[in-house]
Amino acid sequence: MGCFCLKKVRNKSGYKDPTILASETPFTVNEVKALYDLFKRVSSSIIDDGLIHKVEFQHAVFRNSSKQNLFADRVFDLFDVKHNGVIEFGEFVRSLSVFHPNAPIADKIAFLFRLYDLRQTGYIEGEELKEMLLALLGESDLLLSNDMVEMIVEKTMVEADSNGDGKIDEEEWREFVKNNPSVLKNMTLPYLKDLTSLAFPSFVLNNEAEIVGNK
C-alpha cells in the first residue's frame, strides 16, 4: 500500500533515492515522491525511457512540442546539469528546488543570473537581456513596443551595471536584485510547499516582464 515502486525504478537511468533528495533540498520525502509521479508522466509522454527530453519539456511547458522558445530552452539547459541532453530525476528535483519557497534567496539569484547569461560568459550583456525579454513577452499577454523593450533593457543596464563596463557581473546582479526584489517574483512557486495535485511547473507564464525589473 502506498508503494513508491522502488524495485521498479531503482534501476531506472538517473533514479535517485527520495530520502537522499529530501536531505539535499527543501522537499520532504513525500514531496519528492509526488514529484516522481510528475516526472514519470512527463518523461514518458513522448519517449518512455525514464528521462525528460527537450521535446517532452517543451510539450509539458507549452502543450506544443513543436514550439521553440528561448526561455524554455534555457530552463531546460539549467535543469540538464550533466549537459547530456536529458533531465534525470535527481536533476529535476534539485533544479526545481530553487523555486521552493524555503530555498535560499542566494540560490534563486544565482539561478536567475545563469538564466540570463545566455552565452555562459559569467556576465549578462544588454543583448542577452533583450533576447530573453522578447522570448518572455512572446509567451505572455503583455504587448510592448520595440521602443519600450529597448527602454527596459537600457534602464536595467544603467541601474545594474554599476562599473559602466557594458555588462553585469554576478556581484552587480546581486545588488540589482537587492534593490529590485520583484525580479525574484517568478523564482518562487508557492504550491511547491503543498504537493498534492501537481501539474508541470508554470514558471514560464507568470508575468515574465517583471523578471528584468519592469516596474
Side-chain angles (χ1 to χ4, degrees):
M1 185 169 127
C3 174
F4 184 45
C5 301
L6 292 177
K7 293 181 180 178
K8 290 184 180 180
V9 302
R10 203 177 290 278
N11 295 323
K12 284 279 190 179
S13 178
Y15 172 74
K16 296 294 180 182
D17 185 274
T19 304
I20 295 175
L21 289 173
S23 71
E24 298 173 345
T25 68
F27 296 116
T28 66
V29 172
N30 285 336
E31 288 171 337
V32 173
K33 291 178 181 179
L35 285 174
Y36 185 70
D37 289 337
L38 170 64
F39 181 85
K40 283 194 299 183
R41 293 202 303 272
V42 177
S43 64
S44 63
S45 60
I46 298 175
I47 305 169
D48 191 4
D49 60 357
L51 302 165
I52 295 179
H53 295 253
K54 182 169 286 190
V55 64
E56 292 171 320
F57 188 85
Q58 293 272 2
H59 182 74
V61 173
F62 298 114
R63 312 297 180 215
N64 183 353
S65 58
S66 65
K67 184 171 185 176
Q68 297 299 308
N69 180 276
L70 176 63
F71 185 82
D73 282 347
R74 286 298 296 143
V75 174
F76 180 90
D77 290 343
L78 292 179
F79 274 46
D80 176 19
V81 178
K82 293 182 179 179
H83 307 296
N84 58 358
V86 293
I87 300 173
E88 300 176 357
F89 180 55
E91 292 174 316
F92 180 72
V93 175
R94 293 189 186 95
S95 298
L96 189 59
S97 71
V98 76
F99 294 91
H100 194 284
N102 295 338
I105 295 298
D107 291 351
K108 296 177 184 290
I109 293 173
F111 185 94
L112 203 52
F113 181 86
R114 289 185 292 128
L115 185 71
Y116 279 97
D117 180 15
L118 301 178
R119 309 329 182 230
Q120 301 175 50
T121 60
Y123 299 94
I124 300 173
E125 300 186 24
E127 190 59 31
E128 291 173 313
L129 278 176
K130 182 178 179 180
E131 286 181 45
M132 186 62 75
L133 178 56
L134 290 173
L136 294 169
L137 289 173
E139 296 305 324
S140 75
D141 296 325
L142 185 61
L143 298 177
L144 295 180
S145 66
N146 289 334
D147 288 344
M148 181 63 72
V149 170
E150 292 286 356
M151 186 180 75
I152 292 172
V153 172
E154 182 178 354
K155 176 180 178 296
T156 302
M157 291 300 298
V158 167
E159 184 174 351
D161 179 22
S162 57
N163 65 10
D165 64 355
K167 53 192 177 185
I168 304 169
D169 61 32
E170 292 187 65
E171 183 177 345
E172 290 172 327
W173 180 251
R174 286 192 292 269
E175 188 64 24
F176 173 73
V177 174
K178 178 182 175 181
N179 295 329
N180 298 271
S182 65
V183 170
L184 290 180
K185 180 179 178 180
N186 287 1
M187 287 302 301
T188 296
L189 303 177
Y191 63 78
L192 289 180
K193 288 187 73 173
D194 182 24
L195 297 177
T196 51
S197 177
L198 187 63
F200 196 81
S202 56
F203 41 69
V204 175
L205 304 176
N206 294 331
N207 190 20
E208 302 88 342
E210 239 185 284
I211 212 165
V212 289
N214 181 28
K215 300 177 183 176

